Short mmCIF file of all heavy atoms in Angstrom, two decimals:
data_model
loop_
_atom_site.label_atom_id
_atom_site.label_comp_id
_atom_site.label_asym_id
_atom_site.label_seq_id
_atom_site.Cartn_x
_atom_site.Cartn_y
_atom_site.Cartn_z
N LEU A 43 29.05 8.55 14.91
CA LEU A 43 28.21 8.83 16.07
C LEU A 43 28.96 8.58 17.37
O LEU A 43 28.71 9.24 18.38
CB LEU A 43 26.93 7.99 16.03
CG LEU A 43 25.99 8.26 14.85
CD1 LEU A 43 24.68 7.50 15.03
CD2 LEU A 43 25.72 9.75 14.69
N ASP A 44 29.87 7.61 17.37
CA ASP A 44 30.74 7.43 18.54
C ASP A 44 31.61 8.66 18.75
O ASP A 44 31.89 9.05 19.89
CB ASP A 44 31.61 6.18 18.37
CG ASP A 44 30.89 4.90 18.77
OD1 ASP A 44 29.95 5.00 19.58
OD2 ASP A 44 31.24 3.83 18.26
N GLY A 45 32.04 9.27 17.65
CA GLY A 45 32.81 10.51 17.75
C GLY A 45 32.00 11.62 18.39
O GLY A 45 32.52 12.38 19.23
N LEU A 46 30.72 11.71 18.03
CA LEU A 46 29.86 12.72 18.65
C LEU A 46 29.61 12.42 20.13
O LEU A 46 29.53 13.33 20.96
CB LEU A 46 28.53 12.80 17.91
CG LEU A 46 28.53 13.61 16.61
CD1 LEU A 46 27.15 13.61 15.99
CD2 LEU A 46 28.99 15.04 16.85
N ARG A 47 29.48 11.13 20.46
CA ARG A 47 29.37 10.77 21.88
C ARG A 47 30.61 11.24 22.64
O ARG A 47 30.51 11.69 23.79
CB ARG A 47 29.22 9.25 22.04
CG ARG A 47 27.88 8.68 21.67
CD ARG A 47 27.76 7.26 22.21
NE ARG A 47 26.58 6.58 21.70
CZ ARG A 47 26.58 5.79 20.64
NH1 ARG A 47 27.69 5.57 19.96
NH2 ARG A 47 25.46 5.20 20.25
N ALA A 48 31.76 11.09 22.00
CA ALA A 48 33.00 11.53 22.64
C ALA A 48 32.98 13.03 22.88
O ALA A 48 33.40 13.50 23.95
CB ALA A 48 34.20 11.14 21.76
N VAL A 49 32.52 13.80 21.90
CA VAL A 49 32.41 15.25 22.08
C VAL A 49 31.51 15.55 23.27
O VAL A 49 31.83 16.41 24.11
CB VAL A 49 31.86 15.91 20.80
CG1 VAL A 49 31.53 17.39 21.05
CG2 VAL A 49 32.85 15.78 19.65
N ALA A 50 30.38 14.85 23.36
CA ALA A 50 29.42 15.08 24.45
C ALA A 50 30.05 14.79 25.80
O ALA A 50 29.95 15.60 26.73
CB ALA A 50 28.18 14.23 24.23
N ILE A 51 30.71 13.63 25.95
CA ILE A 51 31.25 13.27 27.25
C ILE A 51 32.43 14.16 27.62
O ILE A 51 32.60 14.52 28.80
CB ILE A 51 31.65 11.77 27.30
CG1 ILE A 51 32.01 11.36 28.74
CG2 ILE A 51 32.80 11.46 26.37
CD1 ILE A 51 30.90 11.57 29.75
N LEU A 52 33.24 14.56 26.66
CA LEU A 52 34.36 15.44 26.97
C LEU A 52 33.87 16.81 27.43
O LEU A 52 34.48 17.43 28.32
CB LEU A 52 35.28 15.58 25.75
CG LEU A 52 36.06 14.30 25.38
CD1 LEU A 52 36.81 14.50 24.07
CD2 LEU A 52 37.02 13.91 26.50
N LEU A 53 32.78 17.30 26.85
CA LEU A 53 32.19 18.55 27.32
C LEU A 53 31.69 18.41 28.76
O LEU A 53 31.92 19.28 29.60
CB LEU A 53 31.04 18.97 26.40
CG LEU A 53 31.44 19.58 25.06
CD1 LEU A 53 30.23 19.70 24.14
CD2 LEU A 53 32.09 20.95 25.25
N VAL A 54 31.00 17.32 29.05
CA VAL A 54 30.47 17.11 30.39
C VAL A 54 31.61 17.01 31.41
O VAL A 54 31.54 17.61 32.50
CB VAL A 54 29.60 15.83 30.44
CG1 VAL A 54 29.24 15.47 31.88
CG2 VAL A 54 28.33 16.03 29.61
N LEU A 55 32.67 16.28 31.07
CA LEU A 55 33.80 16.17 31.97
C LEU A 55 34.46 17.52 32.19
O LEU A 55 34.86 17.86 33.32
CB LEU A 55 34.82 15.16 31.43
CG LEU A 55 34.70 13.72 31.96
CD1 LEU A 55 33.35 13.11 31.64
CD2 LEU A 55 35.81 12.84 31.38
N ALA A 56 34.60 18.30 31.13
CA ALA A 56 35.19 19.64 31.26
C ALA A 56 34.33 20.51 32.18
O ALA A 56 34.86 21.28 33.00
CB ALA A 56 35.33 20.28 29.89
N TYR A 57 33.01 20.38 32.06
CA TYR A 57 32.12 21.19 32.90
C TYR A 57 32.29 20.84 34.38
O TYR A 57 32.34 21.74 35.24
CB TYR A 57 30.66 20.96 32.47
CG TYR A 57 29.67 21.64 33.38
CD1 TYR A 57 29.51 23.02 33.35
CD2 TYR A 57 28.89 20.89 34.27
CE1 TYR A 57 28.60 23.65 34.19
CE2 TYR A 57 27.98 21.52 35.11
CZ TYR A 57 27.84 22.89 35.07
OH TYR A 57 26.94 23.51 35.90
N HIS A 58 32.41 19.56 34.69
CA HIS A 58 32.49 19.15 36.09
C HIS A 58 33.89 19.26 36.67
O HIS A 58 34.05 19.44 37.88
CB HIS A 58 31.98 17.71 36.24
CG HIS A 58 30.50 17.60 36.18
ND1 HIS A 58 29.86 16.59 35.49
CD2 HIS A 58 29.52 18.36 36.71
CE1 HIS A 58 28.54 16.75 35.61
NE2 HIS A 58 28.31 17.81 36.34
N PHE A 59 34.90 19.15 35.83
CA PHE A 59 36.28 19.15 36.33
C PHE A 59 36.95 20.52 36.28
O PHE A 59 37.86 20.79 37.06
CB PHE A 59 37.13 18.16 35.53
CG PHE A 59 36.81 16.71 35.77
CD1 PHE A 59 37.39 15.72 34.98
CD2 PHE A 59 35.92 16.31 36.76
CE1 PHE A 59 37.11 14.38 35.18
CE2 PHE A 59 35.62 14.97 36.96
CZ PHE A 59 36.22 14.01 36.18
N LEU A 60 36.54 21.38 35.36
CA LEU A 60 37.23 22.65 35.12
C LEU A 60 36.24 23.80 35.21
O LEU A 60 35.39 23.96 34.33
CB LEU A 60 37.91 22.65 33.75
CG LEU A 60 38.96 21.56 33.52
CD1 LEU A 60 39.37 21.50 32.05
CD2 LEU A 60 40.19 21.80 34.40
N PRO A 61 36.31 24.62 36.25
CA PRO A 61 35.34 25.71 36.44
C PRO A 61 35.28 26.70 35.27
O PRO A 61 34.24 27.30 35.03
CB PRO A 61 35.84 26.40 37.72
CG PRO A 61 36.61 25.34 38.44
CD PRO A 61 37.25 24.51 37.37
N SER A 62 36.38 26.87 34.54
CA SER A 62 36.40 27.83 33.44
C SER A 62 35.54 27.38 32.26
O SER A 62 35.21 28.17 31.38
CB SER A 62 37.84 28.06 32.97
OG SER A 62 38.45 26.85 32.59
N PHE A 63 35.14 26.09 32.23
CA PHE A 63 34.29 25.57 31.15
C PHE A 63 32.82 25.54 31.62
O PHE A 63 32.15 24.52 31.50
CB PHE A 63 34.76 24.18 30.74
CG PHE A 63 35.99 24.16 29.89
CD1 PHE A 63 37.24 24.33 30.46
CD2 PHE A 63 35.90 24.00 28.52
CE1 PHE A 63 38.38 24.33 29.68
CE2 PHE A 63 37.04 23.99 27.72
CZ PHE A 63 38.29 24.16 28.31
N SER A 64 32.34 26.68 32.08
CA SER A 64 30.98 26.72 32.63
C SER A 64 29.91 26.56 31.56
O SER A 64 28.74 26.33 31.88
CB SER A 64 30.76 28.05 33.37
OG SER A 64 30.93 29.15 32.48
N PHE A 65 30.29 26.67 30.29
CA PHE A 65 29.34 26.50 29.19
C PHE A 65 29.22 25.04 28.75
O PHE A 65 28.32 24.69 27.97
CB PHE A 65 29.78 27.33 27.98
CG PHE A 65 31.10 26.88 27.41
CD1 PHE A 65 31.15 25.91 26.43
CD2 PHE A 65 32.29 27.40 27.89
CE1 PHE A 65 32.36 25.46 25.92
CE2 PHE A 65 33.51 26.97 27.39
CZ PHE A 65 33.54 26.00 26.41
N ALA A 66 30.11 24.18 29.22
CA ALA A 66 30.23 22.82 28.67
C ALA A 66 29.10 21.89 29.10
O ALA A 66 29.05 20.75 28.65
CB ALA A 66 31.59 22.23 29.04
N TRP A 67 28.17 22.37 29.93
CA TRP A 67 26.98 21.57 30.26
C TRP A 67 26.17 21.23 29.01
O TRP A 67 25.34 20.32 29.02
CB TRP A 67 26.10 22.33 31.25
CG TRP A 67 25.63 23.66 30.74
CD1 TRP A 67 26.30 24.85 30.85
CD2 TRP A 67 24.43 23.93 30.04
NE1 TRP A 67 25.57 25.85 30.25
CE2 TRP A 67 24.41 25.31 29.75
CE3 TRP A 67 23.35 23.15 29.62
CZ2 TRP A 67 23.37 25.93 29.06
CZ3 TRP A 67 22.31 23.76 28.94
CH2 TRP A 67 22.33 25.12 28.66
N VAL A 68 26.41 21.96 27.91
CA VAL A 68 25.66 21.73 26.67
C VAL A 68 25.92 20.33 26.12
O VAL A 68 25.18 19.87 25.23
CB VAL A 68 25.99 22.79 25.60
CG1 VAL A 68 25.63 24.17 26.11
CG2 VAL A 68 27.46 22.73 25.19
N GLY A 69 26.95 19.64 26.62
CA GLY A 69 27.18 18.26 26.20
C GLY A 69 26.00 17.36 26.51
O GLY A 69 25.74 16.38 25.79
#
Side-chain angles (χ1 to χ4, degrees):
L43 297 188
D44 277 335
L46 280 180
R47 286 195 190 94
V49 171
I51 189 59
L52 291 174
L53 284 169
V54 170
L55 265 60
Y57 174 73
H58 284 139
F59 290 172
L60 300 169
S62 57
F63 283 79
S64 60
F65 64 89
W67 59 273
V68 300

